[in-house]
Amino acid sequence: MSRINEIDQQWVGKLLRTSAERFVLPRFHTVVSSRKPDGSIVTSADIDSQNFLQDMLAARYPDIPLLGEEMPRAEQQSLLENSDALWCLDPLDGTSNFAAGVPVFGVSLALLEKGHSVMGWIYDPVRAELFSAVQGKGAKIDGTILQTREAPTLKHCVGVVDYKRLDRNLALRIIDERPFHSQRNFGSSVLEWCWLAAGRYHFYLHGAQQLWDRAAGALILQEAGGQISQFNGQALQEKDLKPRSVLATLDPNLHQTWRNWLKHASDKASEFPNAVL
């Protein structure tokens, strides 16, 4: 039986806001960062935000464990394999932006049931925007319902492309052919999902996204009417910790146009067999 009806959606949204106001925003421009073994940046804001949210969620929902980004991988995998329901948390996404003084970062939380997202919240502390979604019940920004929007043709679209995580040869082909009008990369996956769901750009390409980067955001986009797949057309998987490629659009027709382009690129590009297509 789903746990959705047991969860106080407003309370969870306020909890993310409180964590951001208490542990994240006061340290913006002043925090000292360090590097994890994989080279990514972590700050005291990440750690303290995760600890606070974990404690508060455990106090209110003691039988739902939490999988957090700042946990050892073996612990994350064990939780994912052995829990019917669990929270999936990114306590501060966009840490590199945060540490550098770039005002684009967010806090993301999803409720997973049997490895699939059924509820999601993402809070943008700088713009004080709360995005949320419940499976089968739509997505919202601060209470306003998000809806599918029609996109222009691909050559007139603006999108977000994370070139750093694309296969090099595929990235070079996209740069060389540039089938769209223009691209951006904001450096916070969770906000990039939300801004696409809100219709602020037209498509999203990411070569290798972690579970906590997509768990809430993908649900928000899906419930807003968007379409999501991996580059090869397969559905995004949430049952393991393997990074996944992301092709996402708010307009389903644009998603098919991109799939056709990627298939064409794959057919032409036998010289880069390692591309995740």
Side-chain angles (χ1 to χ4, degrees), residues 161-180:
V161 181
D162 191 325
Y163 283 112
K164 182 173 69 173
R165 294 175 178 84
L166 292 180
D167 173 89
R168 179 177 183 274
N169 292 297
L170 175 59
L172 290 174
R173 183 168 294 278
I174 293 174
I175 291 169
D176 182 55
E177 297 189 15
R178 204 183 78 176
F180 44 80

Side-chain angles (χ1 to χ4, degrees), residues 166-167 170 173-174 229-234 245 258-259 261-270 272-277:
L166 292 180
D167 173 89
L170 175 59
R173 183 168 294 278
I174 293 174
S229 72
Q230 298 180 63
F231 287 177
N232 59 12
Q234 294 180 359
S245 63
W258 257 116
R259 281 291 304 125
W261 190 94
L262 288 169
K263 184 179 185 304
H264 177 68
S266 180
D267 291 342
K268 287 176 60 179
S270 59
F272 54 96
N274 295 322
V276 185
L277 291 169

Side-chain angles (χ1 to χ4, degrees), residues 72-100:
R73 188 174 183 87
E75 184 178 354
Q76 293 171 339
Q77 189 64 48
S78 177
L79 285 168
L80 200 57
E81 292 173 354
N82 299 307
S83 304
D84 287 338
L86 76 159
W87 303 108
C88 182
L89 172 69
D90 192 336
L92 178 57
D93 179 69
T95 304
S96 295
N97 283 349
F98 180 77

Side-chain angles (χ1 to χ4, degrees), residues 62-123:
D63 60 335
I64 304 178
L66 182 141
L67 185 160
E69 180 185 6
E70 308 307 331
M71 283 180 172
R73 188 174 183 87
E75 184 178 354
Q76 293 171 339
Q77 189 64 48
S78 177
L79 285 168
L80 200 57
E81 292 173 354
N82 299 307
S83 304
D84 287 338
L86 76 159
W87 303 108
C88 182
L89 172 69
D90 192 336
L92 178 57
D93 179 69
T95 304
S96 295
N97 283 349
F98 180 77
V102 179
V104 182
F105 45 85
V107 183
S108 174
L109 181 69
L111 178 67
L112 307 186
E113 291 185 343
K114 299 187 183 300
H116 297 286
S117 298
V118 296
M119 302 181 79
W121 301 259
I122 294 175
Y123 182 62

Side-chain angles (χ1 to χ4, degrees), residues 16 19-20 23-24 42-54 66-71 88-95 105-109 123 125 190 212:
L16 296 192
S19 181
F23 301 106
V24 178
V42 66
T43 71
S44 60
D46 297 74
I47 303 299
D48 290 347
S49 177
Q50 177 165 299
N51 290 341
F52 171 76
L53 290 168
Q54 185 169 14
L66 182 141
L67 185 160
E69 180 185 6
E70 308 307 331
M71 283 180 172
C88 182
L89 172 69
D90 192 336
L92 178 57
D93 179 69
T95 304
F105 45 85
V107 183
S108 174
L109 181 69
Y123 182 62
V190 302
W212 42 86

Side-chain angles (χ1 to χ4, degrees), residues 147-160:
Q147 297 179 329
T148 304
R149 296 187 187 184
E150 184 176 350
T153 58
L154 180 56
K155 68 179 180 179
H156 294 126
C157 283
V158 175
V160 167

